[in-house]
Coordinates of all heavy atoms in Angstrom, one line a residue:
E1 N 124.6 113.7 52.2 CA 125.4 113.5 53.6 C 125.9 114.6 54.1 O 125.8 115.0 55.3 CB 126.3 112.3 53.5 CG 126.6 111.6 54.7 CD 127.3 110.5 54.6 OE1 126.9 109.5 54.0 OE2 128.4 110.5 55.3
Y2 N 126.9 115.3 53.3 CA 127.6 116.5 53.8 C 126.7 117.6 54.2 O 126.8 118.3 55.2 CB 128.6 117.0 52.6 CG 129.2 118.3 53.0 CD1 130.2 118.2 53.9 CD2 128.8 119.5 52.4 CE1 130.9 119.4 54.3 CE2 129.4 120.6 52.8 CZ 130.5 120.7 53.6 OH 131.2 121.9 54.0
L3 N 125.5 117.9 53.4 CA 124.5 118.9 53.9 C 123.9 118.7 55.1 O 123.8 119.5 56.0 CB 123.5 118.9 52.7 CG 122.4 119.9 52.9 CD1 123.1 121.4 52.9 CD2 121.4 119.9 51.8
A4 N 123.6 117.4 55.3 CA 123.0 117.0 56.6 C 123.9 117.3 57.7 O 123.5 117.7 58.8 CB 122.5 115.6 56.6
E5 N 125.1 117.0 57.6 CA 126.1 117.2 58.8 C 126.3 118.6 59.0 O 126.4 119.1 60.1 CB 127.5 116.6 58.2 CG 127.6 115.0 58.3 CD 128.8 114.5 57.9 OE1 129.8 115.2 57.8 OE2 129.0 113.2 57.7
T6 N 126.4 119.5 57.8 CA 126.5 120.9 58.1 C 125.4 121.5 58.8 O 125.5 122.3 59.6 CB 126.7 121.5 56.7 OG1 127.2 120.7 55.7 CG2 127.7 122.7 56.8
Q7 N 124.1 121.0 58.3 CA 122.9 121.5 59.0 C 122.8 121.2 60.4 O 122.5 121.9 61.3 CB 121.6 121.0 58.1 CG 121.5 121.8 56.9 CD 120.3 121.2 56.1 OE1 119.9 120.2 56.3 NE2 119.8 122.0 55.2
L8 N 123.2 119.9 60.8 CA 123.1 119.4 62.1 C 124.2 120.2 63.0 O 123.8 120.6 64.1 CB 123.6 118.0 62.1 CG 123.4 117.3 63.5 CD1 122.1 117.4 64.2 CD2 123.9 115.9 63.4
S9 N 125.5 120.3 62.5 CA 126.4 121.2 63.3 C 126.0 122.6 63.5 O 126.1 123.2 64.6 CB 127.8 121.1 62.7 OG 127.8 121.7 61.5
E10 N 125.4 123.2 62.5 CA 124.8 124.6 62.6 C 123.7 124.6 63.7 O 123.6 125.5 64.5 CB 124.3 125.1 61.2 CG 123.8 126.5 61.4 CD 124.7 127.5 61.7 OE1 126.1 127.3 61.7 OE2 124.4 128.8 62.0
A11 N 122.8 123.7 63.6 CA 121.8 123.6 64.6 C 122.2 123.4 65.9 O 121.8 124.1 66.9 CB 120.8 122.4 64.2
N12 N 123.3 122.6 66.1 CA 123.8 122.3 67.5 C 124.5 123.7 67.9 O 124.5 124.1 69.2 CB 124.8 121.1 67.4 CG 124.2 119.9 67.3 OD1 123.1 119.7 67.7 ND2 125.0 119.0 66.8
R13 N 125.2 124.5 67.0 CA 125.9 125.6 67.4 C 124.9 126.6 67.8 O 125.0 127.3 69.0 CB 126.6 126.1 66.3 CG 127.5 127.4 66.6 CD 128.0 128.1 65.3 NE 127.1 128.6 64.4 CZ 126.6 129.8 64.6 NH1 126.7 130.5 65.6 NH2 125.6 130.3 63.7
L14 N 123.7 126.8 67.2 CA 122.7 127.8 67.4 C 122.1 127.3 68.8 O 121.8 128.2 69.7 CB 121.7 127.9 66.4 CG 122.1 128.6 65.2 CD1 121.1 128.4 64.0 CD2 122.4 130.0 65.4
Q15 N 121.8 126.0 69.1 CA 121.2 125.6 70.4 C 122.1 125.8 71.4 O 121.6 126.4 72.6 CB 121.0 124.2 70.2 CG 120.3 123.6 71.4 CD 120.2 122.0 71.4 OE1 120.9 121.2 70.8 NE2 119.1 121.5 72.1
K16 N 123.4 125.6 71.4 CA 124.3 126.0 72.4 C 124.3 127.6 72.7 O 124.5 128.0 73.9 CB 125.7 125.5 72.0 CG 126.8 125.6 73.1 CD 128.2 125.0 72.7 CE 129.1 125.0 73.8 NZ 130.3 124.5 73.5
K17 N 124.4 128.3 71.6 CA 124.3 129.8 71.7 C 123.3 130.3 72.5 O 123.4 131.3 73.4 CB 124.4 130.4 70.3 CG 124.5 131.9 70.4 CD 124.5 132.5 69.0 CE 124.5 133.9 69.0 NZ 124.4 134.6 67.6
F18 N 122.0 129.8 72.3 CA 120.9 130.3 72.9 C 120.3 129.5 74.1 O 119.3 129.8 74.6 CB 119.8 130.4 71.8 CG 120.0 131.5 70.8 CD1 120.3 131.0 69.5 CD2 120.0 132.8 71.1 CE1 120.6 132.1 68.5 CE2 120.3 133.8 70.2 CZ 120.6 133.4 68.9
R19 N 121.0 128.5 74.5 CA 120.6 127.7 75.7 C 120.9 128.6 76.9 O 121.7 129.3 77.1 CB 121.5 126.5 75.8 CG 121.2 125.6 77.0 CD 122.1 124.4 77.2 NE 121.8 123.5 75.9 CZ 122.6 122.8 75.3 NH1 123.9 122.7 75.7 NH2 122.2 122.1 74.3
R20 N 119.7 128.5 77.8 CA 119.7 129.3 78.9 C 120.0 128.4 80.2 O 119.7 127.3 80.3 CB 118.3 129.9 79.1 CG 118.0 130.9 78.0 CD 116.9 131.7 78.2 NE 117.0 132.5 79.4 CZ 116.0 133.1 80.0 NH1 114.8 133.0 79.4 NH2 116.1 133.8 81.0
S21 N 120.7 129.0 81.2 CA 121.1 128.3 82.5 C 119.8 128.2 83.3 O 119.0 129.2 83.4 CB 122.1 129.3 83.2 OG 122.2 128.9 84.4
G22 N 119.7 127.0 83.8 CA 118.5 126.8 84.7 C 118.5 127.7 85.9 O 117.5 128.2 86.3
K23 N 119.7 128.0 86.5 CA 119.8 129.0 87.7 C 119.3 130.4 87.2 O 118.6 131.0 88.0 CB 121.2 129.0 88.1 CG 121.5 127.8 88.9 CD 123.0 127.9 89.5 CE 123.4 126.6 90.1 NZ 124.7 126.7 90.7
K24 N 119.6 130.8 86.1 CA 119.3 132.1 85.5 C 117.8 132.2 85.4 O 117.1 133.2 85.8 CB 120.0 132.5 84.3 CG 119.7 133.8 83.8 CD 120.6 134.2 82.5 CE 120.4 135.6 82.0 NZ 121.1 135.9 81.0
V25 N 117.2 131.1 84.9 CA 115.7 131.1 84.6 C 115.1 131.1 86.0 O 114.1 131.7 86.1 CB 115.4 129.9 83.8 CG1 113.9 129.7 83.6 CG2 115.8 130.0 82.3
D26 N 115.6 130.2 86.8 CA 115.0 130.3 88.2 C 114.9 131.6 88.8 O 114.0 132.0 89.5 CB 115.6 129.2 89.1 CG 115.3 127.8 88.7 OD1 114.4 127.6 87.9 OD2 116.0 126.8 89.2
G27 N 116.0 132.3 88.7 CA 116.2 133.5 89.3 C 115.2 134.5 88.7 O 114.6 135.4 89.4
E28 N 114.9 134.5 87.4 CA 114.1 135.4 86.7 C 112.6 135.1 87.2 O 111.9 136.0 87.4 CB 114.2 135.2 85.2 CG 115.5 135.9 84.7 CD 115.8 135.5 83.2 OE1 114.9 134.8 82.6 OE2 116.7 136.0 82.7
V29 N 112.2 133.9 87.3 CA 111.0 133.5 87.8 C 110.7 134.0 89.2 O 109.6 134.4 89.5 CB 110.8 132.0 87.6 CG1 109.5 131.5 88.3 CG2 110.7 131.4 86.2
R30 N 111.7 133.8 90.0 CA 111.7 134.2 91.4 C 111.4 135.8 91.5 O 110.5 136.3 92.2 CB 112.8 133.9 92.2 CG 112.7 133.0 93.4 CD 113.9 132.8 94.1 NE 115.3 132.9 93.6 CZ 115.8 131.9 93.0 NH1 115.3 130.6 92.9 NH2 117.1 132.1 92.5
E31 N 112.2 136.5 90.7 CA 112.0 138.0 90.6 C 110.6 138.4 90.2 O 110.0 139.2 90.8 CB 113.0 138.6 89.7 CG 114.5 138.6 90.2 CD 115.5 139.1 89.2 OE1 114.9 139.9 88.2 OE2 116.7 138.8 89.3
V32 N 110.1 137.7 89.3 CA 108.7 138.0 88.8 C 107.7 137.7 90.0 O 106.7 138.6 90.2 CB 108.3 137.3 87.5 CG1 106.9 137.3 87.1 CG2 109.2 137.8 86.4
L33 N 107.9 136.6 90.6 CA 106.9 136.3 91.7 C 106.9 137.3 92.8 O 106.0 137.6 93.3 CB 107.2 134.8 92.1 CG 106.8 133.7 91.1 CD1 107.3 132.4 91.8 CD2 105.3 133.6 90.9
V34 N 108.2 137.8 93.1 CA 108.3 138.6 94.2 C 107.7 139.9 93.9 O 106.8 140.5 94.7 CB 109.9 138.9 94.5 CG1 110.0 140.1 95.5 CG2 110.4 137.7 95.2
E35 N 107.8 140.5 92.7 CA 107.2 141.6 92.2 C 105.7 141.6 92.2 O 105.0 142.4 92.6 CB 107.6 142.0 90.8 CG 109.0 142.6 90.7 CD 109.2 143.7 91.5 OE1 108.3 144.7 91.6 OE2 110.2 143.8 92.4
R36 N 105.2 140.4 91.8 CA 103.7 140.2 91.8 C 103.2 140.0 93.2 O 102.1 140.6 93.6 CB 103.3 138.9 91.2 CG 103.5 138.9 89.8 CD 103.1 137.6 89.1 NE 102.0 137.8 88.1 CZ 101.5 136.9 87.4 NH1 101.7 135.6 87.7 NH2 100.5 137.1 86.6
M37 N 104.0 139.6 94.3 CA 103.5 139.6 95.6 C 103.6 141.0 96.2 O 102.7 141.3 97.0 CB 104.5 138.7 96.4 CG 104.3 137.1 96.0 SD 105.6 136.3 96.8 CE 105.2 136.2 98.5
K38 N 104.5 141.8 95.8 CA 104.6 143.2 96.3 C 103.4 144.0 95.8 O 103.0 144.9 96.5 CB 105.8 143.8 95.7 CG 107.1 143.5 96.5 CD 108.3 144.1 95.9 CE 109.7 143.7 96.5 NZ 110.8 144.2 95.9
Q39 N 102.8 143.7 94.5 CA 101.7 144.4 94.0 C 100.5 144.1 94.7 O 99.5 144.8 94.7 CB 101.6 144.1 92.5 CG 102.7 144.6 91.6 CD 102.6 144.1 90.3 OE1 101.7 143.4 89.8 NE2 103.5 144.4 89.4
G40 N 100.3 142.9 95.4 CA 99.2 142.5 96.2 C 98.0 142.4 95.3 O 96.9 143.1 95.4
M41 N 98.1 141.5 94.4 CA 97.0 141.3 93.4 C 95.8 140.8 94.1 O 96.0 140.0 95.1 CB 97.4 140.3 92.2 CG 98.6 140.8 91.5 SD 99.2 139.6 90.2 CE 97.9 139.9 89.0
K42 N 94.6 141.3 93.7 CA 93.3 140.8 94.2 C 93.0 139.5 93.9 O 93.3 138.9 92.8 CB 92.3 141.7 93.7 CG 90.9 141.7 94.3 CD 90.9 142.2 95.7 CE 89.4 142.2 96.2 NZ 89.4 142.4 97.6
L43 N 92.6 138.5 94.8 CA 92.2 137.2 94.6 C 90.7 137.1 94.1 O 90.0 138.0 94.5 CB 92.3 136.4 95.9 CG 93.6 136.3 96.6 CD1 93.5 135.6 97.9 CD2 94.6 135.7 95.7
D44 N 90.6 136.2 93.3 CA 89.1 135.9 92.8 C 88.4 135.2 93.9 O 88.9 134.8 94.9 CB 89.0 135.3 91.5 CG 89.6 133.8 91.4 OD1 89.5 133.2 92.6 OD2 89.8 133.4 90.4
E45 N 87.0 135.1 93.8 CA 86.2 134.5 94.8 C 86.7 133.0 95.2 O 86.7 132.7 96.3 CB 84.7 134.5 94.3 CG 83.7 134.0 95.5 CD 82.3 134.1 95.0 OE1 82.1 134.9 94.1 OE2 81.5 133.4 95.6
D46 N 86.9 132.1 94.2 CA 87.4 130.8 94.4 C 88.6 130.8 95.3 O 88.9 130.1 96.3 CB 87.6 130.1 93.1 CG 86.3 129.7 92.4 OD1 85.2 129.7 93.2 OD2 86.3 129.5 91.3
Q47 N 89.6 131.6 94.9 CA 90.8 131.6 95.6 C 90.8 132.3 97.0 O 91.3 131.6 98.1 CB 91.8 132.5 94.8 CG 92.3 132.0 93.5 CD 93.2 133.2 92.7 OE1 92.8 134.3 92.8 NE2 94.0 132.7 92.1
E48 N 89.8 133.2 97.2 CA 89.5 133.7 98.5 C 89.0 132.6 99.4 O 89.2 132.5 100.7 CB 88.5 134.9 98.5 CG 88.3 135.6 99.7 CD 89.7 136.4 100.1 OE1 90.3 137.0 99.3 OE2 90.0 136.4 101.3
N49 N 88.0 131.8 98.9 CA 87.4 130.8 99.6 C 88.4 129.7 100.1 O 88.3 129.2 101.1 CB 86.3 130.1 98.7 CG 85.1 130.9 98.6 OD1 84.8 131.8 99.4 ND2 84.2 130.6 97.6
V50 N 89.4 129.4 99.2 CA 90.4 128.4 99.6 C 91.2 129.0 100.7 O 91.5 128.3 101.6 CB 91.4 128.1 98.3 CG1 92.6 127.4 98.7 CG2 90.7 127.4 97.2
F51 N 91.6 130.2 100.6 CA 92.4 130.8 101.7 C 91.6 130.9 103.1 O 92.1 130.6 104.1 CB 92.9 132.2 101.3 CG 94.2 132.2 100.6 CD1 94.1 132.2 99.3 CD2 95.5 131.9 101.2 CE1 95.3 132.3 98.4 CE2 96.6 131.9 100.5 CZ 96.5 132.0 99.0
Q52 N 90.2 131.0 103.0 CA 89.5 131.2 104.1 C 89.4 129.8 104.8 O 89.5 129.5 106.0 CB 88.0 131.6 103.9 CG 88.0 133.1 103.6 CD 86.6 133.6 103.2 OE1 85.8 132.8 103.1 NE2 86.5 134.9 103.0
E53 N 89.2 128.6 103.9 CA 89.2 127.3 104.4 C 90.5 127.0 105.1 O 90.6 126.3 106.1 CB 88.8 126.2 103.2 CG 87.4 126.5 102.8 CD 87.1 125.6 101.6 OE1 88.0 124.8 101.2 OE2 86.0 125.9 100.9
L54 N 91.7 127.4 104.4 CA 92.9 127.0 105.0 C 93.2 127.7 106.3 O 93.7 127.2 107.3 CB 94.1 127.5 104.1 CG 94.2 126.6 102.9 CD1 95.1 127.2 101.8 CD2 94.7 125.3 103.1
E55 N 92.7 128.8 106.4 CA 92.7 129.7 107.7 C 92.0 128.9 108.9 O 92.5 128.9 109.9 CB 92.1 131.2 107.5 CG 92.2 132.0 108.7 CD 93.5 132.5 109.0 OE1 94.3 132.6 107.9 OE2 93.8 133.0 110.1
I56 N 90.9 128.4 108.5 CA 90.0 127.8 109.5 C 90.7 126.4 109.9 O 90.9 126.2 111.1 CB 88.7 127.5 109.0 CG1 87.7 128.7 108.8 CG2 87.9 126.5 109.9 CD1 86.6 128.6 108.0
L57 N 91.3 125.7 108.9 CA 92.0 124.5 109.2 C 93.2 124.7 110.2 O 93.4 124.1 111.0 CB 92.4 123.8 107.8 CG 93.4 122.6 108.0 CD1 92.7 121.5 108.5 CD2 94.0 122.4 106.7
F58 N 94.1 125.8 109.7 CA 95.2 126.0 110.5 C 95.0 126.6 111.9 O 95.7 126.3 112.8 CB 96.1 127.0 109.7 CG 96.8 126.4 108.5 CD1 97.0 127.2 107.3 CD2 97.3 125.1 108.5 CE1 97.4 126.6 106.3 CE2 97.9 124.6 107.4 CZ 98.1 125.4 106.2
R59 N 93.9 127.3 112.0 CA 93.5 127.9 113.4 C 93.1 126.8 114.2 O 93.1 126.9 115.5 CB 92.5 129.0 113.2 CG 93.1 130.2 112.5 CD 93.9 131.0 113.3 NE 94.4 132.1 112.7 CZ 95.6 132.6 112.6 NH1 96.6 131.8 113.2 NH2 96.0 133.5 111.9
G60 N 92.5 125.7 113.6 CA 91.9 124.7 114.4 C 92.9 123.7 114.9 O 92.7 122.9 115.8
E61 N 94.2 123.7 114.3 CA 95.2 122.7 114.7 C 95.7 123.1 116.1 O 95.8 124.2 116.5 CB 96.4 122.8 113.7 CG 96.1 122.2 112.5 CD 97.5 122.1 111.6 OE1 98.3 122.8 111.9 OE2 97.3 121.4 110.6
A62 N 96.1 121.9 116.9 CA 96.7 122.2 118.2 C 98.1 122.9 118.0 O 98.8 122.5 117.1 CB 96.8 120.9 118.9
G63 N 98.5 123.6 118.8 CA 99.9 124.2 118.7 C 99.7 125.6 118.2 O 98.7 126.0 117.6
G64 N 100.7 126.4 118.5 CA 100.6 127.9 118.1 C 101.4 128.3 116.9 O 102.2 127.6 116.3
W65 N 100.8 129.3 116.3 CA 101.5 130.0 115.2 C 102.1 131.3 115.6 O 101.4 132.1 116.4 CB 100.5 130.3 114.1 CG 100.1 129.0 113.4 CD1 99.1 128.0 113.8 CD2 100.6 128.5 112.1 NE1 99.1 127.1 112.9 CE2 99.9 127.3 111.9 CE3 101.5 129.0 111.3 CZ2 100.1 126.6 110.8 CZ3 101.7 128.2 110.0 CH2 101.1 127.0 109.8
E66 N 103.3 131.6 115.3 CA 103.9 132.8 115.8 C 103.9 133.8 114.6 O 104.3 133.5 113.4 CB 105.4 132.4 116.1 CG 106.3 133.7 116.5 CD 107.7 133.4 116.7 OE1 108.0 132.2 116.9 OE2 108.5 134.3 116.8
K67 N 103.3 135.1 114.7 CA 103.3 136.0 113.8 C 104.7 136.6 113.5 O 105.5 136.9 114.4 CB 102.3 137.2 114.2 CG 101.0 136.9 114.1 CD 100.2 137.9 113.6 CE 98.7 137.6 113.6 NZ 98.2 137.2 112.2
L68 N 105.1 136.8 112.4 CA 106.5 137.3 112.0 C 106.2 138.6 111.3 O 105.2 138.9 110.7 CB 107.2 136.4 111.0 CG 107.3 135.0 111.4 CD1 107.8 134.1 110.3 CD2 108.2 134.9 112.6
Q69 N 107.2 139.5 111.4 CA 107.0 140.9 110.8 C 107.4 140.7 109.2 O 108.4 140.1 108.9 CB 107.9 141.8 111.3 CG 108.0 143.2 110.8 CD 108.9 144.1 111.6 OE1 109.6 143.8 112.6 NE2 108.8 145.4 111.2
S70 N 106.4 141.1 108.5 CA 106.6 140.9 107.1 C 107.4 142.2 106.4 O 107.1 143.3 106.9 CB 105.3 141.0 106.3 OG 105.3 141.0 104.9
P71 N 108.2 142.0 105.5 CA 108.9 143.1 104.9 C 108.1 143.9 103.9 O 108.5 144.9 103.4 CB 110.2 142.4 104.2 CG 109.6 141.0 104.0 CD 108.8 140.6 105.0
Y72 N 106.9 143.2 103.6 CA 106.0 143.9 102.6 C 104.7 144.3 103.2 O 104.1 143.6 103.9 CB 105.9 142.9 101.4 CG 107.1 142.5 100.7 CD1 107.5 141.2 100.9 CD2 107.9 143.4 100.0 CE1 108.9 140.9 100.3 CE2 109.2 143.0 99.5 CZ 109.5 141.7 99.7 OH 110.8 141.4 99.0
E73 N 104.2 145.4 102.8 CA 103.0 146.0 103.4 C 101.8 145.1 102.7 O 101.8 144.7 101.6 CB 102.7 147.3 103.0 CG 101.5 148.0 103.3 CD 101.4 149.4 103.0 OE1 102.4 150.1 103.0 OE2 100.2 149.9 102.8
G74 N 100.9 144.7 103.6 CA 99.7 143.9 103.1 C 100.0 142.4 103.1 O 99.1 141.5 102.7
M75 N 101.1 141.9 103.5 CA 101.5 140.7 103.5 C 101.6 140.1 104.9 O 102.3 140.7 105.7 CB 102.7 140.2 102.7 CG 103.1 138.8 102.7 SD 104.5 138.4 101.8 CE 104.4 139.0 100.2
E76 N 101.0 139.0 105.4 CA 101.1 138.5 106.7 C 102.0 137.3 106.6 O 101.9 136.6 105.7 CB 99.8 138.1 107.2 CG 98.9 139.3 107.4 CD 97.5 138.9 108.0 OE1 97.4 137.7 108.4 OE2 96.6 139.7 108.1
M77 N 102.8 137.2 107.6 CA 103.8 136.0 107.7 C 103.6 135.3 109.0 O 103.5 136.0 110.1 CB 105.1 136.4 107.5 CG 105.4 136.8 106.1 SD 107.1 137.5 105.9 CE 108.0 136.1 106.1
E78 N 103.5 134.0 109.1 CA 103.5 133.3 110.3 C 104.2 132.0 110.2 O 104.5 131.5 109.1 CB 101.9 132.8 110.7 CG 101.0 133.9 110.8 CD 99.5 133.5 111.1 OE1 99.3 133.1 112.3 OE2 98.8 133.5 110.3
M79 N 104.8 131.6 111.5 CA 105.5 130.5 111.4 C 105.0 129.4 112.4 O 104.7 129.8 113.6 CB 107.0 130.8 111.7 CG 107.8 129.5 111.7 SD 109.6 129.8 111.9 CE 109.6 130.7 113.5
K80 N 104.8 128.2 112.2 CA 104.1 127.2 113.0 C 105.4 126.8 114.0 O 106.3 126.4 113.5 CB 103.5 126.0 112.4 CG 103.0 125.0 113.4 CD 102.0 124.2 112.6 CE 101.5 123.1 113.4 NZ 100.8 123.4 114.6
K81 N 105.0 127.0 115.2 CA 106.0 126.4 116.3 C 106.1 125.0 116.3 O 104.9 124.4 116.3 CB 105.6 127.1 117.5 CG 105.8 128.5 117.7 CD 105.5 129.0 119.1 CE 105.6 130.5 119.2 NZ 105.4 131.0 120.5
Q82 N 107.2 124.3 116.3 CA 107.4 122.9 116.5 C 107.0 122.5 117.8 O 107.5 123.1 118.7 CB 108.8 122.5 116.0 CG 108.9 121.0 115.9 CD 110.3 120.7 115.4 OE1 111.1 121.5 115.3 NE2 110.5 119.4 115.0
Q83 N 106.1 121.6 117.9 CA 105.8 121.1 119.3 C 106.8 120.0 119.8 O 107.5 119.2 119.0 CB 104.5 120.2 119.2 CG 103.3 121.2 118.8 CD 102.0 120.3 118.6 OE1 102.0 119.1 118.9 NE2 101.0 121.1 118.5
K84 N 107.0 120.1 121.1 CA 108.1 119.2 121.6 C 107.5 117.8 121.7 O 106.4 117.6 122.0 CB 108.4 119.7 123.1 CG 109.1 121.0 123.1 CD 109.3 121.4 124.5 CE 110.0 122.8 124.7 NZ 110.3 123.3 125.9
K85 N 108.4 116.9 121.4 CA 107.9 115.5 121.5 C 107.9 114.9 122.9 O 108.7 115.3 123.8 CB 108.9 114.6 120.8 CG 109.0 114.8 119.2 CD 109.9 113.7 118.6 CE 110.0 114.2 117.1 NZ 110.8 113.2 116.5
R86 N 106.8 114.3 123.3 CA 106.5 113.7 124.5 C 107.1 112.3 124.7 O 106.9 111.5 123.7 CB 105.2 113.8 125.0 CG 104.5 115.2 125.0 CD 103.1 115.1 125.3 NE 102.6 116.5 125.3 CZ 101.2 116.7 125.2 NH1 100.4 115.7 125.1 NH2 100.8 118.0 125.1
E87 N 107.8 112.1 125.7 CA 108.4 110.6 125.8 C 107.8 110.0 127.0 O 107.2 110.4 127.8 CB 109.8 110.9 126.2 CG 110.7 111.4 125.0 CD 112.1 111.5 125.3 OE1 112.7 110.8 126.0 OE2 112.8 112.3 124.6

């Protein structure tokens, strides 16, 4: 019984020591994603087809898209303008 208690308390101590903050992990993931976006990785054929289909879908919608200036070369940014509600 004593051995089990000691092992359990040691396991809890190690778990607490190496536990990572969710915010820290989220920040690290975000940094990696931003770096990958900056690198401009090449899309495979399936991914390219999906983006082409989305482009056709979004262009066909009523209402305008406003082009935004992108902080990164090779990345396009657009924002859909909200349509006014008709009464």
Side-chain angles (χ1 to χ4, degrees):
E1 192 173 309
Y2 175 75
L3 179 61
E5 287 178 17
T6 337
Q7 289 177 337
L8 183 59
S9 66
E10 180 64 14
N12 287 336
R13 186 188 69 78
L14 290 172
Q15 181 184 26
K16 187 176 180 179
K17 178 180 177 183
F18 292 106
R19 181 176 292 145
R20 298 190 58 193
S21 164
K23 289 182 181 181
K24 184 176 182 179
V25 172
D26 288 346
E28 290 171 356
V29 169
R30 240 187 332 273
E31 287 176 22
V32 169
L33 289 175
V34 167
E35 285 304 314
R36 288 181 128 183
M37 291 168 72
K38 286 180 183 179
Q39 293 173 1
M41 298 178 74
K42 188 78 174 157
L43 300 176
D44 65 27
E45 188 177 335
D46 290 337
Q47 292 170 326
E48 192 66 44
N49 288 338
V50 168
F51 276 97
Q52 287 174 358
E53 290 173 11
L54 288 171
E55 181 76 20
I56 292 168
L57 174 69
F58 289 139
R59 293 288 177 228
E61 285 186 348
W65 286 81
E66 179 183 344
K67 288 218 180 262
L68 302 173
Q69 185 174 0
S70 173
Y72 305 108
E73 185 177 325
M75 182 185 295
E76 295 179 10
M77 294 175 59
E78 295 180 81
M79 179 172 63
K80 182 158 176 53
K81 293 182 179 180
Q82 188 174 13
Q83 295 179 355
K84 295 180 181 177
K85 292 183 181 181
R86 295 180 184 161
E87 292 183 23

